[in-house]
Every structure is written in structure tokens, then in C-alpha cells.
Amino acid sequence: MKIVVIGGTGLIGSKLVKKLGERGNEAVAAAPSSGVNSITGEGLADALKGASVVVDVTNSPSWEDAAVLKFFETSTRNLLAFGAAAGAGHFVALSVVGTERLLESGFFRAKLAQENLIKASSLPYTIVRATQFFEFVTKIADYSTEGNQVHLPPALIQPMAADDVASALDRIAANSPIKGSVEIGGPEQFHLDELARRALAAFQDPREVISDPHARYYGIRVSERTLVPENDARLGATRFEDWLNHATEPVAKAGRQQA
């Protein structure tokens, strides 16, 4: 089966292409670096020719309100049109758990617009809503840093490993479209402030994490359960502590060598 991954050279896309190929599929990594541009349409017709499944894991290079909306609307319209013309039977898109609860942000308004375009299209689809990735926990801390302090709310979060996101997409792409949304998440829930505190300590980052119920998540007000999936979410297997031990091994190794 030919499966084209749009955004196939990024964090999730590269992992997904590898997994799809290992299962015997013809997996195509489509990205501007390979001559495929979902904004201009360049290379899309050739890349999607004969494709059974199109998987969209693209992301906007800018989170500015107008730019991110233009990116997702333009890209999604192009992918749906070229996918339909190619006769694809399944359109899979990666989105975010809680998107409709995060509309204070232009990024999430753009993601909701993307989802609505997919739902209104003629292509059979599956929207995969994922929780935050382990790989981005320190970036959340960066966004919320003031001086040497990180201010984060104690909201619940159920993050997952990027590898588990790719595994879920791999399984979903190989199955029939559900014409609806699926939620995926990690196996454990944490309070956001404590998650950041553990991550920074493991990476030997000296910043202090302050638990602040008035602090924001990427500039968005969140309640206790804004960021977590429903109880029927499909859960990844990788625990945060195991991922953290692997991710910080170079830091630990450097410390041993200095000692």
C-alpha cells in the first residue's frame, strides 16, 4: 500500500515513514526538502499518484495568528484536493487533544479550522488528536520562563512519546477511516508544573518551577482537565521516566566523565 506522509521529514513524520516501511508499505516522505510543498502545491500530484492513504503531520513555521491560519487552511485545502484527485481512500491528520478548549490561541483556532475542512471534504478521514509530546516539555518551560523561574499552572497533562504517536498513526493509517476523531495519549497523568520540574532536574537545568494557578499554557488559560483526553483514549506504552532516562543519558554520561 502506498502511504504518503506530508511532513514526512519532521519529528513525527520521519518516525512514521520508518514504521510504515518496516511493515512493507511504500512509504513516501513528502516535504519541501523532497520537492513537495503543500502550500504552493508543488510536487503534490506526482507524490500522491497511486496513494491509498495520505497522512498529514505538517506544522506551521509561524504561530502568528494570521500566518498559522493561512498555513493550515491553504495546506489542508491543497492536500484534500490533490488527495481526492489521486483517488486516495483515507486521509489521516494529526491534531491536538483539547483543541476546542484552547481557542484563546490562534494556533488552535487554526487547528480547528483544519479539522473542519477535513470533516467537510469528500475524502474518508480519521483525525488523530494527540496529547503533548515528552519531547516538548522543556519547550513549554522555555515559553513560561521569567528570569530564572518557570511559572506553570498545576493543570493535568497526559503527555506521550513521539515514537508512540508515530506508532498510533501507523496503525490508524493501515486501517479503514472512521470518519471521525480518535484521541491518543500517554499512560500517565501529571500536573504540568511537576512534569516540567522533573524534566528540568533530569536535564540539570537550574531554573526553578513555580506552581501558579494563574499561569498560562502557551499563553492560554487552562483548567485542571483542559489538556487531558477522554477515558476512551488510546494510550501509548512509554512511561515518562523511561523516556527521560533515555533522553538524559548524554547529560548523565557527560557528568560521569567530568567527575
Side-chain angles (χ1 to χ4, degrees), residues 1 28 34 38 49 63 67 71 73 101 135 150 166 176 180 189 213 216 243 255-256:
M1 184 161 59
V28 177
S34 65
S38 64
K49 186 176 181 180
W63 278 31
F71 175 89
E73 287 189 334
R101 301 189 290 270
E135 286 80 358
V150 181
S176 300
Q189 289 187 354
R216 297 189 172 206
W243 176 88
R256 290 193 296 269

Side-chain angles (χ1 to χ4, degrees), residues 241-259:
E241 196 66 32
D242 294 332
W243 176 88
L244 201 56
N245 288 338
H246 178 74
T248 57
E249 179 55 32
V251 178
K253 184 177 180 181
R256 290 193 296 269
Q257 289 175 342
Q258 290 175 358

Side-chain angles (χ1 to χ4, degrees), residues 95-106:
S95 193
V96 185
V97 161
T99 289
E100 74 286 351
R101 301 189 290 270
L102 299 165
L103 298 182
E104 195 174 353
S105 160

Side-chain angles (χ1 to χ4, degrees), residues 134 158-161 164 185-190 235-240:
F134 294 156
Q158 196 168 329
M160 64 189 303
D164 286 347
E188 309 162 283
Q189 289 187 354
F190 304 88
L235 305 184
T238 307
R239 300 175 69 86
F240 183 62

